[in-house]
């Protein structure tokens, strides 16, 4: 089903390519074919999901940008200085525009590619308007096919995003289940890093769902299927908060219960919940009705009985954390079982059903965002300068070696060069391998495609397969796009064997330029501010904690404000995880920073897990379970903890230590009696806040060490306290 979804998603490029091929075959317009097919590729690369009116608006602005860019290139061809200045300015400008949001970034980069496609399909004997017209027509043809698919399957992108989110959530649950294996209790250190990285995948998948839902929920009429997808989304977020919460110290817990079947039942139930998430993903894609496996229900009942039996055998022990852990896991099972009735459950339009906005509302906001990136501290600005430098170098080499096909050097360099070193080197290797393989196979094309029909078949098939593998296997997609370009040159009657060698050499040269740019022009390891990223993650956690505390006082409400704070905390945790992941690819360049990175990642995940546990408890505090006096005092101490997290200043350790000492005393005074009459929720809340506060000194020390190392890179790059 997952692979079927990928092919369904690529139906527009197949349909538009077939229609273009039929026109070329019927009219014998072989000279215009390459530009037409490249226009289809460009249209596919900037395809952005939206509701129908939003898609039409995106298409209008995309075609406007493509027309202007292609015409500008066409009119400056043959004027080397003007062309170089145009391309350099465009490379810098469109890269900087990407700082606004993903939609600007997508259309801007597509516009840059259209400029290069205009160069590659340029022929001196053709009318000046032919290539721009063909490229725009190709993009328009693809866009019309996407509109047709949207009319037929308007909810398919949301379904695919939702299915991906549930698959990622299932992966996370399987990883979390390993923490309840007694035989692995002494080896959980590395698993915590792996779990944090799995959490990054979940958060990214949730953001894709949020984007798909946001544009469909803006209309006044909410389609029932969109409402159902929203319910799936909110349920997934609820389950993620519960499964990511930490109620016990896993190592001690595993050793304590290693001879009890209770821990194995917990692990088995989490595994079954993961499989239920996979089943939900399949159901969403198939647009069917979810049926919960009875095995999950029986496993939940068995865990409840095992807990009751354990409590009877060990009545003298403190079991609040264990009981809450089991209750939390059983609540996930209850949530999964309720998914059977989502089709039948109406949803009121209110704060609980809103999705946080993500669009730029006013034009003046764009200027402010761009201005904030006009400095070398900004990775976007550094990348924009690199892209401009690459354009200058590429244009020079292209003019020196070959006035036309030599621009493959520039195209390769611009595509391969990524904002950071690790991503560039990864793409560079795949680009070279894919291109060389494509050149090798492409050398056989004249022997197997002697007719126009066979050449068009290769163009259609390779263009479609390029999109099929574009996000999954970049080397494969490079292989297929190389075949398409070579087949396009064969259609135009160019010397294919000469183009083969030039393509291979230019790809290697372009990859070398991209590598040199990220290695020597403001490389990552001179600007990595791990401490600053850690501070931002801690501040995101502070906002999440404040919202959880506010809901403890006011009562449970899964509103957009709470969900936005939770999302921000997880997104900043993802940013920290990405930084550590990039560092781990080049450990020799970062030295002791890498160890600080892993330490910060583990500490941050422990902090966010404790906050998730507090958040998961919000819905249980009612009736006899709610101690109003305790909640008020608890929230006061919690606010003090959040304030420390929000305003961490590593230059004032004495102030931090004094605040921690006050919190420690306040928590001791607040601690419920172990066998007293206080509700169980009091013990659980206190334990979570105490666990969170215990990790703050280690977090502070690691941040301080990281910020000191950042300062050694230069005073201009020192992370400032917030």
């Amino acid at each position: 089903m997952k692979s079927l979804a990928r092919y369904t998603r690529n139906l527009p490029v197949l349909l538009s390519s077939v229609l273009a091929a039929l026109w070329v075959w019927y009219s014998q317009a072989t000279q215009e074919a390459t530009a037409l097919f490249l226009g289809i590729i460009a249209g596919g690369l900037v395809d952005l999901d939206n509701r129908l009116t939003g898609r039409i608006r995106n298409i209008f602005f995309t075609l406007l940008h493509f027309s202007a860019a292609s015409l500008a290139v066409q009119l400056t061809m043959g004027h080397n200085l003007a062309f170089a200045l145009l391309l350099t300015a465009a490379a810098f400008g469109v890269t900087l525009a990407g700082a606004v949001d993903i939609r600007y970034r997508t259309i801007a980069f597509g516009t840059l590619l259209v400029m290069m496609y205009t160069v590659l399909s340029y022929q001196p004997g053709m009318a000046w308007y032919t290539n721009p017209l063909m490229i725009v027509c190709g993009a328009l043809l693809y866009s019309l096919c996407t509109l047709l698919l949207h009319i037929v399957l308007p909810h398919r992108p949301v379904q695919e995003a939702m299915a991906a989110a549930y698959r990622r959530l299932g992966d996370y649950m399987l990883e979390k289940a390993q923490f309840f294996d007694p035989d692995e209790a002494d080896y959980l250190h590395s698993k915590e890093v792996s779990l944090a990285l799995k959490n990054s995948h979940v958060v990214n998948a949730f953001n894709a769902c949020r984007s798909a839902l946001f544009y469909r929920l803006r209309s006044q009429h909410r389609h029932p299927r969109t409402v159902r997808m929203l319910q799936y989304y909110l349920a997934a977020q609820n389950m993620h908060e519960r499964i990511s919460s930490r109620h016990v110290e896993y190592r001690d817990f595993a050793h304590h219960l290693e001879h009890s079947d209770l821990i194995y039942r917990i692990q088995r139930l989490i595994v079954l919940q993961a499989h239920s998430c996979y089943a939900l993903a399949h159901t969403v894609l198939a647009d069917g009705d979810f049926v919960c496996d009875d095995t999950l229900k029986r496993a939940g009942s068995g865990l409840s009985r095992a807990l009751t039996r354990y409590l009877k055998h060990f009545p003298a022990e403190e079991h609040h954390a264990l009981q809450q852990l089991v209750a939390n896991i059983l609540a996930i099972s209850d949530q999964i079982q309720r998914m059977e009735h989502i089709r039948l459950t109406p949803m009121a339009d209110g704060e609980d059903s809103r999705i946080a906005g993500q669009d730029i509302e006013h034009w003046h906001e764009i200027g402010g965002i761009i201005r904030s990136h006009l400095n070398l501290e900004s990775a976007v600005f550094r990348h924009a300068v690199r892209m401009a430098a690459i354009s200058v170098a590429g244009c020079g080499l292209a003019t020196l070696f070959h006035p036309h096909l030599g621009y493959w050097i520039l195209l390769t360099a611009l595509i391969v060069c990524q904002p950071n070193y690790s991503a560039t080197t990864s793409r560079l290797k795949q680009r070279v391998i894919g291109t060389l393989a494509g050149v090798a196979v492409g050398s056989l094309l004249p022997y197997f495609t002697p007719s126009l029909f066979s050449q068009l078949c290769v163009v259609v098939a390779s263009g479609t397969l390029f999109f099929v593998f574009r996000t999954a296997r970049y080397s494969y997609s490079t292989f297929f796009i190389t075949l398409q370009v070579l087949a396009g040159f064969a259609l135009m009657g160019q010397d294919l064997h000469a183009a083969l060698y030039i393509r291979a050499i230019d790809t290697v040269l372009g990859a070398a330029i991209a590598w040199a740019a990220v290695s020597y022009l403001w490389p990552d390891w001179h600007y990595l501010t791990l401490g600053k990223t850690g501070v931002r993650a801690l501040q995101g956690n502070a906002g999440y904690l404040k919202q959880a505390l506010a809901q403890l006082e006011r009562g449970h409400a899964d509103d957009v404000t709470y969900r936005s704070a939770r999302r921000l905390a997880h997104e900043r945790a993802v940013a920290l995880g990405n930084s550590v992941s990039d560092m781990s690819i080049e450990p020799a360049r970062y030295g002791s920073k890498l160890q600080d990175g892993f330490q910060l990642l583990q500490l941050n995940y422990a902090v966010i897990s404790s906050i998730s546990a507090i958040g998961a408890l919000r819905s249980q505090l009612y009736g006899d379970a709610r101690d109003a006096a305790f909640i008020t005092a608890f929230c006061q101490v919690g606010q003090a903890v959040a304030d420390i997290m929000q305003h961490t200043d590593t230059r004032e350790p004495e102030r931090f230590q004094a605040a921690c000492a006050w919190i420690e005393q306040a928590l001791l005074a607040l601690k419920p009696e172990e066998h007293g009459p206080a509700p169980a929720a009091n013990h659980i809340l206190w334990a979570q806040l105490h666990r969170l506060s215990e990790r703050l000194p280690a977090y502070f020390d690691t941040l301080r060490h990281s910020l000191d190392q950042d300062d050694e890179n230069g005073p201009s790059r020192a992370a400032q306290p917030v």
Side-chain angles (χ1 to χ4, degrees), residues 8-60:
T8 303
R9 189 164 55 248
N10 292 298
L11 278 176
V13 71
L14 176 61
L15 179 58
S16 56
S17 296
V18 168
L19 292 174
L22 289 173
W23 178 79
V24 172
W25 180 76
Y26 179 78
S27 62
Q28 297 293 303
T30 55
Q31 298 301 306
E32 296 84 0
T34 298
L36 181 64
F37 284 109
L38 288 176
I40 292 173
I41 296 293
L45 292 175
V46 299
D47 184 28
L48 295 166
D49 180 45
N50 210 319
R51 55 189 174 134
L52 184 61
T53 55
R55 279 184 175 274
I56 294 173
R57 185 175 60 251
N58 287 342
I59 291 170
F60 172 76

Side-chain angles (χ1 to χ4, degrees), residues 69 182 240 251 273 377 429 530 545 564 577:
H240 177 238
R251 182 178 179 276
Q273 290 169 350
E377 301 300 316
K429 296 172 185 175
L530 179 65
L545 177 58
S564 295

